[in-house]
Amino acid sequence: ASLDSLPDELLLHILGYLPALNQENFQLPTLLSFFFAHPYLFLRTLVCNPRAAETVKSFSMNYGRGVHRNRKPYLPAISDRKLIKSGFKSLDIPSWKAWATDCNADDCDQETLYAAILMRTPNLRTLTVDDGKVPYQTPKWIELLRQSVSGNSFGRVHQFTHLNTVQIRVKHMGMRVMLPLFKLPSLRILAVSTLVETGFVKDHELGTWKPIKWTVPNRTSPIEVLTLSSCFMDTGVLASMVTACQHLKKFSYHHDESPWLWNNEEGLLWHNGDDSIPRARLHYPCLTSALNHHRDSIETIGLYNDVYGPVQLYPGFGMLGDFRSCAKLTHITAPLRAFINVLNGAGETIIDRLPASI
């Protein structure tokens, strides 16, 4: 008898005793005393079994939060170290010995292991990232994507040709770090949450702020669905993201000011232990102009905002403009004040600025 001979219902019942992927239940006793879902062991499996690696379609990275916080480290055996070393050697990447040494170290960080795993998943379609890296450093997985879109070969590492969807919950990353995503030929869906991007980057030596440079030309990115939730972004950066897309079909932006604090007199922001950050500006006419670049493709627009302060701030946002040329637009969600001046009463109308397809 073997597991293969058991009915599916019994297998599911057995699997019910395995730990759930959450902090509360992760340390419960299990059928076997093993390291459940540890990235090193997953990497070892991928190196041992390339065919299994080819079946991986989605991957989720969590840096140090939730289930990983109190996890015991896995200490590689000598056979493990030899296997991982030979795996990196076969990839023929620069500094493969350093990669192997880092991954085999007893205190190897999760980011390095995650990047090593991504090198082994050529058919990956969906990547989910719960960002938790040290501020002001580019994550290794982003560096892999940058190598891929640069046109330069990175040993025998694949080019992420099937990566269709990327979802990121931001803790420290800025928009300029994520620029390689807009250059990835296979990417169609990008969903980002809790991003703070005011259009400036800090010079930590001088302690000053300077405008960021957007390096993605207009209408060159294949992204079709762009979702930005609970973000705090300057409209100039937002417009650059929108116009960088070739044929944007769905766009959603949630401007959330509630988690951030600013000085109303000086217009400066405090966030994540950093003070004197220039305040992000939301300007609807600028956003309307950017969205009209996609008049032949845009189908859905969603605009939401949680404003920290009185509604009198809305006039500074301006009004959404004319969308009548967007022939495929069927669904639009936005605050009423973004469409009309509600103080003017019943004489205001929005229907004459929307397409017949709405």
Side-chain angles (χ1 to χ4, degrees), residues 19-20 31 46 57 67 72 99 125 178 230 242 254 288 322 334:
L31 291 173
L46 300 183
K57 299 297 192 298
V67 301
K72 290 172 56 180
W99 274 94
R125 296 183 181 276
M178 290 184 263
S230 297
V242 171
H254 176 195
T288 301
D322 197 326

Side-chain angles (χ1 to χ4, degrees), residues 279-304:
R279 181 181 174 186
R281 180 180 63 93
L282 178 60
H283 190 240
Y284 285 130
C286 178
L287 195 52
T288 301
S289 177
L291 288 169
N292 267 298
H293 279 77
H294 305 282
R295 61 178 64 89
D296 296 327
S297 60
I298 194 72
E299 300 171 1
T300 302
I301 296 174
L303 298 172
Y304 316 85

Side-chain angles (χ1 to χ4, degrees), residues 264-324:
N264 285 326
E265 296 179 359
E266 300 178 3
L268 300 177
L269 170 76
W270 179 93
H271 163 68
N272 230 14
D274 227 334
D275 56 7
S276 300
I277 301 175
R279 181 181 174 186
R281 180 180 63 93
L282 178 60
H283 190 240
Y284 285 130
C286 178
L287 195 52
T288 301
S289 177
L291 288 169
N292 267 298
H293 279 77
H294 305 282
R295 61 178 64 89
D296 296 327
S297 60
I298 194 72
E299 300 171 1
T300 302
I301 296 174
L303 298 172
Y304 316 85
N305 60 61
D306 291 329
V307 182
Y308 182 78
V311 295
Q312 286 78 5
L313 289 174
Y314 274 91
F317 294 169
M319 298 288 178
L320 288 170
D322 197 326
F323 287 107
R324 284 178 295 179

Side-chain angles (χ1 to χ4, degrees), residues 303 314 319-320 333-342 350 353:
L303 298 172
Y314 274 91
M319 298 288 178
L320 288 170
T333 304
L336 185 61
R337 289 182 177 87
F339 284 110
I340 63 173
N341 185 344
V342 295
I350 63 174
R353 284 180 285 146

Side-chain angles (χ1 to χ4, degrees), residues 219 221-225 242 245-251 290-301 325-330 357:
R219 302 187 72 86
S221 174
I223 293 174
E224 297 177 349
V225 179
V242 171
C245 301
Q246 290 177 341
H247 305 290
L248 195 61
K249 294 181 179 180
K250 297 182 179 181
F251 172 76
L291 288 169
N292 267 298
H293 279 77
H294 305 282
R295 61 178 64 89
D296 296 327
S297 60
I298 194 72
E299 300 171 1
T300 302
I301 296 174
S325 62
C326 300
K328 294 184 178 180
L329 183 61
T330 59
S357 58

Side-chain angles (χ1 to χ4, degrees), residues 10-11 29 46 53 58 69 88 159 170 172 186 193 201 205 219 233 252 259 268 291 307 314 346 352:
L10 187 53
L11 288 174
L46 300 183
S58 64
R69 186 175 298 163
F88 276 109
Q159 299 293 302
V170 174
H172 295 298
S186 61
S193 64
V201 61
E205 293 183 359
R219 302 187 72 86
M233 300 183 63
S252 176
L268 300 177
L291 288 169
V307 182
Y314 274 91
D352 57 355

Side-chain angles (χ1 to χ4, degrees), residues 28 32 47 54 58-59 70 91 93 110 136 160 166 168 171 198 245 275 288 306 328:
L28 290 178
L32 295 175
V47 174
E54 292 175 358
S58 64
F59 187 61
N70 299 316
L91 290 176
I93 61 175
Q110 291 170 343
Y136 322 120
F160 295 92
V166 174
I168 308 172
K171 184 176 182 182
T198 63
C245 301
D275 56 7
T288 301
D306 291 329
K328 294 184 178 180

Side-chain angles (χ1 to χ4, degrees), residues 23-215:
Q23 188 177 3
E24 289 76 18
N25 298 325
F26 195 81
Q27 300 297 334
L28 290 178
T30 61
L31 291 173
L32 295 175
S33 178
F34 61 90
F35 291 82
F36 185 64
H38 195 284
Y40 185 93
L41 296 179
F42 188 46
L43 174 61
R44 188 184 68 181
T45 298
L46 300 183
V47 174
C48 289
N49 193 340
R51 288 189 177 181
E54 292 175 358
T55 68
V56 177
K57 299 297 192 298
S58 64
F59 187 61
S60 179
M61 299 190 294
N62 183 310
Y63 289 103
R65 285 194 289 266
V67 301
H68 302 294
R69 186 175 298 163
N70 299 316
R71 173 180 293 180
K72 290 172 56 180
Y74 176 77
L75 303 180
I78 294 177
S79 58
D80 294 335
R81 299 176 197 270
K82 289 181 178 179
L83 180 66
I84 297 300
K85 184 176 180 180
S86 65
F88 276 109
K89 184 178 181 180
S90 67
L91 290 176
D92 194 28
I93 61 175
S95 305
W96 67 266
K97 289 184 179 179
W99 274 94
T101 300
D102 289 343
C103 286
N104 281 327
D106 292 346
D107 58 349
C108 180
D109 61 275
Q110 291 170 343
E111 186 200 0
T112 301
L113 291 172
Y114 287 151
I117 288 170
L118 291 179
M119 294 181 189
R120 294 278 173 178
T121 52
N123 295 320
L124 188 69
R125 296 183 181 276
T126 301
L127 178 62
T128 303
V129 182
D130 189 7
D131 172 47
K133 265 300 294 174
V134 179
Y136 322 120
Q137 291 185 9
T138 302
K140 285 184 171 64
W141 69 271
I142 287 284
E143 290 293 352
L144 288 179
L145 293 179
R146 182 172 294 164
Q147 287 284 352
S148 175
V149 301
S150 69
N152 301 320
S153 62
F154 187 55
R156 296 190 178 91
V157 176
H158 63 92
Q159 299 293 302
F160 295 92
T161 54
H162 300 285
L163 186 54
N164 173 272
T165 303
V166 174
Q167 303 168 332
I168 308 172
R169 181 181 181 274
V170 174
K171 184 176 182 182
H172 295 298
M173 284 192 296
M175 194 62 247
R176 66 190 185 118
V177 174
M178 290 184 263
L179 288 180
L181 293 168
F182 284 82
K183 302 176 182 180
L184 191 65
S186 61
L187 196 65
R188 296 295 181 271
I189 301 173
L190 177 60
V192 180
S193 64
T194 63
L195 170 66
V196 174
E197 185 53 81
T198 63
F200 292 83
V201 61
K202 190 170 187 178
D203 186 322
H204 294 283
E205 293 183 359
L206 300 178
T208 58
W209 294 88
K210 56 184 179 181
I212 64 171
K213 294 181 180 180
W214 184 263
T215 59

